Amino acid sequence: MDSVRSDITDRSAASAAEPPEPDLALKILVAGGFGVGKTTLVGSVSEIRPLRTEERLSATGQHIDDTCGVDRKTTTTVALDFGRITIRSGLSLYLFGTPGQDRFWFLWDELSTGALGAVVLADTRRLEECFPAVDFFEHRSIPFVVAVNCFAGARAYGAHEVSRALDLERGTPVVLCDARDRDSGKEVLVRLVEYAGRVHSARLLASVG
């Protein structure tokens, strides 16, 4: 019995001597045009109950927001969506979904502060809706991936076709996804973290070279 207690004590002491693995939390933006699936993506992958700031679309707003192609949409994000997902032990992502309407774009600068990178969701039926988001992140040198949300009934396009249509900078990843599916959304986030990590590492090396 004493030997068992001694063994437990030794293990506890060893555990106490080892510093715990630090947790790393990374900030990620989920952006794109109006009604492209940003709220859906954040909600599908979040391991906590997502924070949403949705309001019902009003008759007044219909004269301001372009709802062409998303006629069935009844709500809209007016500030942000927030969620969290653990990619692996010690690494979590804090997800900030941006509002899609033009009149709320002033929030993007604030939300982008400190972000590792971004996911730009695209709908091939309204591909032009993601142009402003692509321009926003390119001009601010924030790494991003384009995630094509594959809506039912939409014509299928390959990643290379989408990349050319958006005139993306060389190397910017384009991935196909289903924003409703957790595994699909998580794969998009993993691709972003890997890509953003390479970009930031290359910039660090260039700055000290």
Side-chain angles (χ1 to χ4, degrees):
M1 188 67 176
D2 289 339
S3 63
V4 173
R5 289 177 179 174
S6 176
D7 183 52
I8 293 174
T9 301
D10 291 342
R11 291 182 182 179
S12 298
S15 298
E18 296 177 0
E21 181 181 349
D23 291 333
L24 179 62
L26 303 175
K27 182 179 182 180
I28 301 296
L29 297 189
V30 179
F34 179 60
V36 78
K38 301 180 294 297
T39 298
T40 300
L41 177 63
V42 173
S44 67
V45 301
S46 180
E47 61 197 14
I48 63 173
R49 182 177 180 180
L51 169 67
R52 293 172 175 166
T53 56
E54 287 191 307
E55 296 292 342
R56 294 191 63 83
L57 289 171
S58 64
T60 301
Q62 290 177 356
H63 299 294
I64 302 174
D65 302 320
D66 182 9
T67 58
C68 181
V70 286
D71 303 330
R72 296 182 180 180
K73 187 172 175 60
T74 60
T75 61
T76 183
T77 299
V78 297
L80 60 87
D81 298 311
F82 175 78
R84 186 191 69 203
I85 179 174
T86 301
I87 297 297
R88 59 172 174 76
S89 178
L91 175 59
S92 298
L93 304 182
Y94 289 163
L95 309 176
F96 291 80
T98 65
Q101 308 96 309
D102 299 7
R103 56 197 167 107
F104 293 125
W105 281 351
F106 68 92
L107 294 170
W108 286 35
D109 279 316
E110 186 70 25
L111 290 174
S112 65
T113 301
L116 174 79
V119 173
V120 175
L121 271 174
D123 178 355
T124 57
R125 300 170 302 179
R126 300 177 294 121
L127 198 58
E128 69 281 357
E129 291 289 321
C130 71
F131 286 170
V134 169
D135 290 340
F136 180 90
F137 296 118
E138 284 185 345
H139 290 160
R140 289 160 180 77
S141 299
I142 297 175
F144 67 93
V145 302
V146 173
V148 179
N149 194 8
C150 299
F151 288 91
R155 179 180 173 182
Y157 291 91
H160 183 64
E161 293 175 287
V162 173
S163 180
R164 285 197 306 170
L166 294 177
D167 193 24
L168 297 177
E169 294 181 354
R170 184 177 180 181
T172 302
V174 176
V175 294
L176 307 182
C177 74
D178 182 344
R180 302 166 299 177
D181 182 78
R182 188 176 193 275
D183 289 338
S184 181
K186 184 176 180 179
E187 178 62 26
V188 170
L189 296 172
V190 170
R191 287 285 301 276
L192 170 62
V193 172
E194 292 174 345
Y195 173 65
R198 293 194 300 270
V199 170
H200 287 297
S201 295
R203 290 175 182 171
L204 180 60
L205 290 174
S207 68
V208 299

